[in-house]
Amino acid sequence: LTLRVDNDDDWSVWRREWSFLPGITYLNHGSFGPPPRRVVDAQRQWQDALASEPMDFYVRELEPNLAGARARVAEFVGVRTDDLVFVENSTYGMNVVASSVDLRPGDEVVLTDHEYGAVFRIWQRACQISGARIVTAKLPWPIESTDHVVDAIAASFTPKTKLLICSHITSLTALVLPAEEICQAARKRGIAVCIDGPHALATLDLDLDGLDCDYYTASGHKWLSAPFGSGFLYVHPRAQPSIRPPILSWGRVGPETPERWYDEFNWLGTRDPSPFLTVPTAIEFLADVGIDPYRARCRRLVDDARIKIEELTQLGAITAGDRYVSMLAFPLPAGESRPLQLALRQRFGIEIPISDWQGRRLMRVSCHLYNRRDDLDLLVRSLAELLRLGM
Ligand SMILES: Cc1ncc(COP(=O)(O)O)c(C=O)c1O
């Protein structure tokens, strides 16, 4: 059965997989992407297995089960299974990189000015500890071409640049950055690259081997709709020898398996690994929907939002041409962000992020399988009313 991309009724079959509180219109999958029922059920089964026989679960079955789940994820993102390890989220992965890279006084770490705020904090601390320095690469505005982005980043490189941190899809501005070209430009100068990729997992075809970055971090609980607390860290073989987990426990569970760089990550003390083990179910779920129809549907809704919101605000969305996928950021007339966000929730039940970014007030619209055009109509009507009130 082919679902027509702009027909809301066709897609109601998938919408039923999610159960939001009545009265909530959820337009923030980009921050916290809840899993569909099938994924929730699969995770519960793993938790039941743990509760009913913890010895089997942890001591005998955990390593092979994690290896199986990792293999499925690795295939999905185009890497060797042994180059990837599960971590709770992108934040965790980024912290692993920050505490493993050998930064020396005077070294420079380049981040673009669109990076996620917490990522800035992680590298600020790493630089403070090591005596290295953050250099911010200002991306052109508006972004007119891929070359301009790459040139702006490359202009920040100096002989002291050790590492580049760059989003695959930026957070507040929701721009797809040209990761391949950026990696090439850095690698040409011998600079290591860490791609911050939580929004690209499931929204873009990933070929991490081909990307040739040194590190790639991702969260499963965004566009893949895997359980909360599921993510991965990819590490290129050239960077693996220096990778260390920030938390130390026993490491390998089964001493009979050969030693690997990620052994220490498999056993970080006793914890609930069900989010990791359920990631394959989320991949299967999207495969059943069809990854291309899924992306096309989300993008269609975003484009619909774009027409309606731009008409209301008379301000253009933040885009770099066609470089966006299932979310898009819209500048709003000047005003305070938090009261507007709260009023949308309290008066109209709409959950959507509104933030200040470089002197602009931005609203980011995310669309997923459970959204309909009604949701966007409600957003535009509600926003119009609140803006009229001077919010
Ligand atoms: C670009 C970017 N990087 C990192 C993160 C952190 O993701 P998480 O909270 O899953 O670790 C986010 C969260 O929204 C993000 O947008």
Side-chain angles (χ1 to χ4, degrees):
L1 179 73
T2 311
L3 307 182
R4 290 160 295 180
V5 75
D6 53 357
N7 187 302
D8 290 354
D9 290 338
D10 283 4
W11 291 87
S12 60
V13 41
W14 294 114
R15 181 181 170 84
R16 277 183 227 121
E17 282 275 337
W18 278 267
S19 42
F20 291 98
L21 271 184
I24 292 296
T25 297
Y26 197 72
L27 292 165
N28 193 15
H29 205 90
S31 292
F32 314 117
R37 211 180 301 275
R38 194 196 300 182
V39 171
V40 173
D41 291 345
Q43 183 179 8
R44 194 162 298 138
Q45 280 179 18
W46 284 113
Q47 287 169 329
D48 287 348
L50 169 57
S52 59
E53 220 308 24
M55 282 295 285
D56 264 348
F57 189 96
Y58 280 132
V59 180
R60 291 174 280 269
E61 290 167 6
L62 181 59
E63 279 197 352
N65 283 335
L66 279 175
R70 235 187 20 244
R72 186 70 193 89
V73 179
E75 184 195 355
F76 189 62
V77 301
V79 280
R80 292 180 338 127
T81 304
D82 276 348
D83 294 343
L84 178 145
V85 68
F86 284 117
V87 292
E88 270 75 354
N89 48 40
S90 295
T91 302
Y92 195 106
M94 191 61 76
N95 273 278
V96 171
V97 178
S99 59
S100 301
V101 170
D102 181 24
L103 290 178
R104 302 281 168 89
D107 285 347
E108 292 175 356
V109 178
V110 174
L111 285 84
T112 82
D113 61 340
H114 288 241
E115 298 313 308
Y116 187 60
V119 169
F120 264 107
R121 283 168 53 83
I122 293 167
W123 288 99
Q124 263 160 358
R125 189 171 70 172
C127 286
Q128 232 168 31
I129 292 169
S130 62
R133 187 168 89 82
I134 285 191
V135 174
T136 306
K138 195 160 174 46
L139 299 190
W141 192 270
I143 294 175
E144 271 151 16
S145 80
T146 298
D147 287 351
H148 289 174
V149 173
V150 181
D151 292 348
I153 292 172
S156 304
F157 293 155
T158 74
K160 292 179 183 163
T161 310
K162 183 84 181 248
L163 179 69
L164 166 68
I165 315 295
C166 182
S167 296
H168 204 160
I169 302 180
T170 62
S171 186
L172 293 182
T173 47
L175 299 169
V176 180
L177 297 184
E180 294 80 6
E181 292 86 342
I182 291 169
C183 286
Q184 276 166 20
R187 298 288 321 147
K188 226 166 44 194
R189 292 164 176 82
I191 296 166
V193 185
C194 177
I195 300 286
D196 185 28
H199 295 289
L201 182 60
T203 57
L204 299 175
D205 285 331
L206 294 182
D207 167 24
L208 298 192
D209 254 347
L211 199 53
D212 194 29
C213 58
D214 295 76
Y215 315 94
Y216 194 103
T217 66
S219 295
H221 44 245
K222 293 189 189 285
W223 298 98
L224 184 58
S225 298
F228 289 108
S230 63
F232 72 77
L233 168 65
Y234 156 82
V235 184
H236 191 281
R238 64 178 167 256
Q240 288 168 5
S242 56
I243 280 287
R244 283 179 299 272
I247 291 169
L248 201 60
S249 182
W250 289 106
R252 270 183 305 161
V253 179
E256 61 281 359
T257 54
E259 282 187 35
R260 311 262 194 216
W261 68 275
Y262 52 77
D263 285 340
E264 301 285 2
F265 289 85
N266 273 356
W267 188 262
L268 292 169
T270 311
R271 59 176 175 160
D272 176 7
S274 64
F276 306 156
L277 299 170
T278 312
V279 177
T281 307
I283 295 174
E284 264 165 39
F285 176 80
L286 281 190
D288 284 353
V289 177
I291 195 88
D292 291 332
Y294 156 66
R295 291 172 183 166
R297 168 68 177 168
C298 296
R299 171 64 191 253
R300 177 59 68 96
L301 288 168
V302 168
D303 284 334
D304 192 51
R306 182 175 180 183
I307 293 168
K308 292 170 174 156
I309 295 167
E310 286 184 346
E311 191 187 324
L312 169 69
T313 61
Q314 297 293 308
L315 298 169
I318 308 262
T319 68
D322 200 35
R323 300 192 72 90
Y324 61 95
V325 280
S326 355
M327 59 180 189
L328 192 54
F330 299 90
L332 298 179
E336 283 192 66
S337 294
R338 287 170 71 97
L340 180 60
Q341 181 175 14
L342 200 60
L344 282 168
R345 170 65 175 85
Q346 288 179 337
R347 294 185 49 184
F348 304 101
I350 298 170
E351 289 288 16
I352 192 162
I354 299 178
S355 330
D356 301 316
W357 184 80
Q358 298 197 359
R360 294 175 173 84
R361 180 164 66 157
L362 295 185
M363 175 179 75
R364 193 186 68 188
V365 179
S366 294
C367 294
H368 207 270
L369 291 170
Y370 48 79
N371 291 117
R372 292 185 296 212
R373 272 174 303 178
D374 288 358
D375 297 343
L376 305 170
D377 290 336
L378 176 68
L379 171 67
V380 171
R381 273 201 315 276
S382 312
L383 186 64
E385 191 174 326
L386 296 174
L387 292 178
R388 250 197 323 271
L389 292 172
M391 292 202 84

